[in-house]
């Protein structure tokens, strides 16, 4: 086999999304209930994952939708926890559709929050990329 | 490398289930709680996914089991939503074991519901095929 | 192409974790709420999966964390169910961090429970190995 042939085979193999390939994938957490107790559990779960595995924050997303939208308010009971997660590189995401439905003003939401059109679509997108999904 | 050699390599590669291959996979939603509020969230989640991604309904399943069985009754508060989802091609599935356990008569259940022996087994089957799993 | 070349291509392909390869993967169940009703649903879900699919217990894990830690006490309402699952080969796992946080003594916990440093990290590890994830 020619050198160029092997190079192509290896390129295609390495480009295939492999569930076990930690370097290329991450973890997406879902928060969608209106229970502050569950919000607290979720932020602790993310922190524990970082501590237990040394996974860098920038491979972790927390996507917030449905009745959990208020979790992202500046005066939310978990605002300090979200601030710390964001400082460690974790992406905090809000579902735009849910924000509109709950009727929240963007000015009342934590400034580092990133917006996605649909929280569920973001979960599906990440799972298809091989990310692990956790629903605390 | 011979032409036949490359053809075999490519055939094997393309036959490998790839999480990112949208055309071949779908999304399975789980509904298993006895809370009508969660039933509503779930049906809205499915509708939002269709709207946000243009994913065809026939790549989406909603599997209902455990204490959510009553969600599938003809007089369920989400019956109109389930009807609309079904009209868009979404498969609505009931766990036979749960229907029996809750003691519901089949004649009281929405006519388009499909039955699976075990809701959890259906989730496992779909995840193994590379489908994304969402638990609202 | 040389024989050795093909052997290498096939070895790499076969080593790639494939989501559809039942023999090599399993199912991980999460229990993390403080609701005994959910604990019961979870243990019934596991039992139904075994019955419906004939999946051997040793391909199934139940990982318990957060506010579900008390589910693992010797006097838990689901202790007999956990005992039966363990007898069928299912691994019952406790998150050490959660056990510490809730303040439970190890001597009060069911003797067959296995400990993992982080329940969430165990879920992520298994999903990356291609295991299906179910959150009852």
């Amino acid at each position: 086999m020619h050198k160029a042939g092997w190079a192509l085979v290896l390129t295609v193999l390495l480009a295939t999304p492999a569930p076990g390939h930690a370097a290329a994938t991450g973890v997406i957490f879902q928060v969608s209930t209106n229970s502050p107790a569950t919000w607290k559990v979720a932020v602790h779960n993310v922190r524990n994952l970082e501590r237990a595995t040394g996974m860098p924050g920038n491979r972790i997303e927390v996507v917030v939708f449905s009745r959990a939208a208020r979790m992202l308010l500046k005066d939310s009971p978990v605002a300090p926890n979200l601030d710390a997660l964001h400082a460690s590189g974790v992406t905090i995401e809000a579902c735009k559709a849910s924000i509109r439905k709950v009727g929240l003003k963007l000015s009342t939401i934590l400034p580092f929050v990133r917006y996605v059109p649909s929280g569920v679509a973001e979960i599906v997108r990440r799972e298809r990329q091989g990310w692990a999904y956790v629903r605390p």
Side-chain angles (χ1 to χ4, degrees), chain A residues 96-113:
Chain A
K96 262 189 192 168
S98 304
I99 296 292
R100 265 195 301 268
K101 194 164 186 182
V102 177
L104 302 181
K105 286 187 189 169
L106 295 193
S107 61
T108 62
I109 294 177
L110 291 163
F112 49 78
V113 170

Side-chain angles (χ1 to χ4, degrees), chain A residues 70-122:
Chain A
R70 291 181 177 283
M71 172 184 172
L72 300 175
L73 292 175
K74 286 175 182 169
D75 61 357
S76 149
V78 294
N81 310 71
L82 293 174
D83 200 64
L85 289 180
H86 171 251
S88 77
V90 174
T91 302
I92 313 294
E93 290 171 329
C95 169
K96 262 189 192 168
S98 304
I99 296 292
R100 265 195 301 268
K101 194 164 186 182
V102 177
L104 302 181
K105 286 187 189 169
L106 295 193
S107 61
T108 62
I109 294 177
L110 291 163
F112 49 78
V113 170
R114 202 189 122 204
Y115 295 87
V116 291
S118 156
V120 170
E122 178 68 12

Side-chain angles (χ1 to χ4, degrees), chain A residues 8-55:
Chain A
L8 178 55
V9 170
L10 288 174
T11 302
V12 177
L13 283 171
L14 293 172
T16 304
H21 194 243
T25 61
V27 182
I28 187 158
F29 285 84
Q30 168 185 328
V31 191
S32 56
T33 71
N34 58 358
S35 149
T38 304
W39 304 350
K40 276 178 199 168
V41 166
V43 293
H44 286 137
N45 282 176
V46 179
R47 190 52 114 185
N48 287 341
L49 178 67
E50 288 182 303
R51 285 183 184 148
T53 65
M55 178 179 296

